[in-house]
């Protein structure tokens, strides 16, 4: 009887740990940008990833005294939308193990760029944007509550 109880405990531990391990294999969570000026909430979107601005270090525009807006967006209809809540990842789909590819919107300049997000587990996420063959990026850090 003790063996059955022990075996059941092992199975329960393994199955109980599986969802947490699967969750850790994806970059789902809240991430602080490299400069520390924004937090991005990354979630699953179907088979891909979504990422939206969840927090700004400086949420108020000093010039207007109002919340930051997407004033660099080339689309006039979007120039007055709040920066908090903007979706950054566009069509971000798995392209390799631990890697997603699509586009990223940069609210700092209003541009949309080819992008890759790479996650090897743990508390760092590499986010890159490319113009042609020239790529740049930064490493985001997981926000633990």
């Amino acid at each position: 009887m003790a063996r059955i109880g022990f075996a059941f405990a092992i199975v329960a531990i393994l199955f109980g740990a599986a969802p947490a391990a699967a969750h850790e294999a994806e970059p789902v969570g809240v991430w602080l940008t490299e400069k520390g000026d924004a937090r991005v909430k990354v979630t699953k979107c179907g088979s891909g990833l979504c990422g939206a601005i969840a927090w700004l270090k400086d949420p108020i525009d000093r010039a207007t005294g109002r919340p930051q807006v997407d004033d660099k967006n080339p689309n006039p209809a979007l120039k007055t939308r709040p920066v908090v809540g903007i979706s950054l990842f566009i069509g971000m789909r798995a392209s390799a193990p631990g890697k997603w590819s699509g586009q990223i919107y940069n609210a700092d300049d209003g541009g949309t760029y080819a992008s890759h997000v790479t996650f090897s587990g743990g508390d760092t996420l590499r986010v890159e944007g490319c113009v042609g063959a020239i790529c740049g990026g930064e490493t985001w850090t997981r926000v633990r509550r």
Side-chain angles (χ1 to χ4, degrees):
M1 189 68 153
R3 284 187 176 194
I4 293 172
F6 178 73
F8 180 75
I10 295 296
V11 169
I13 289 169
L14 290 174
F15 281 106
H23 179 71
E24 287 295 322
E26 297 176 337
V28 173
V30 178
W31 298 88
L32 183 66
T33 60
E34 193 169 275
K35 293 179 187 174
D37 57 355
R39 290 181 180 180
V40 177
K41 184 176 183 180
V42 175
T43 58
K44 287 198 52 104
C45 277
S47 62
L49 293 177
C50 288
I53 298 174
W55 171 91
L56 293 173
K57 182 177 182 180
D58 296 316
I60 303 299
D61 184 329
R62 294 175 200 214
T64 66
R66 305 186 107 168
Q68 296 272 0
V69 295
D70 193 18
D71 57 358
K72 300 203 178 43
N73 195 303
N75 181 340
L78 299 177
K79 287 183 178 282
T80 59
R81 70 179 174 169
V83 171
V84 174
I86 289 177
S87 292
L88 300 180
F89 295 166
I90 304 162
M92 200 63 70
R93 301 283 178 244
S95 56
K99 186 174 183 177
W100 292 260
S101 299
Q103 294 183 311
I104 192 165
Y105 176 70
N106 182 352
D108 290 339
D109 65 12
T112 300
Y113 303 95
S115 178
H116 306 286
V117 175
T118 307
F119 180 63
S120 346
D123 292 333
T124 59
L125 181 67
R126 182 72 183 163
V127 180
E128 295 183 331
C130 304
V131 176
I134 301 172
C135 297
E138 59 183 52
T139 301
W140 295 355
T141 306
R142 186 184 299 274
V143 175
R144 298 280 184 189
R145 295 184 196 249

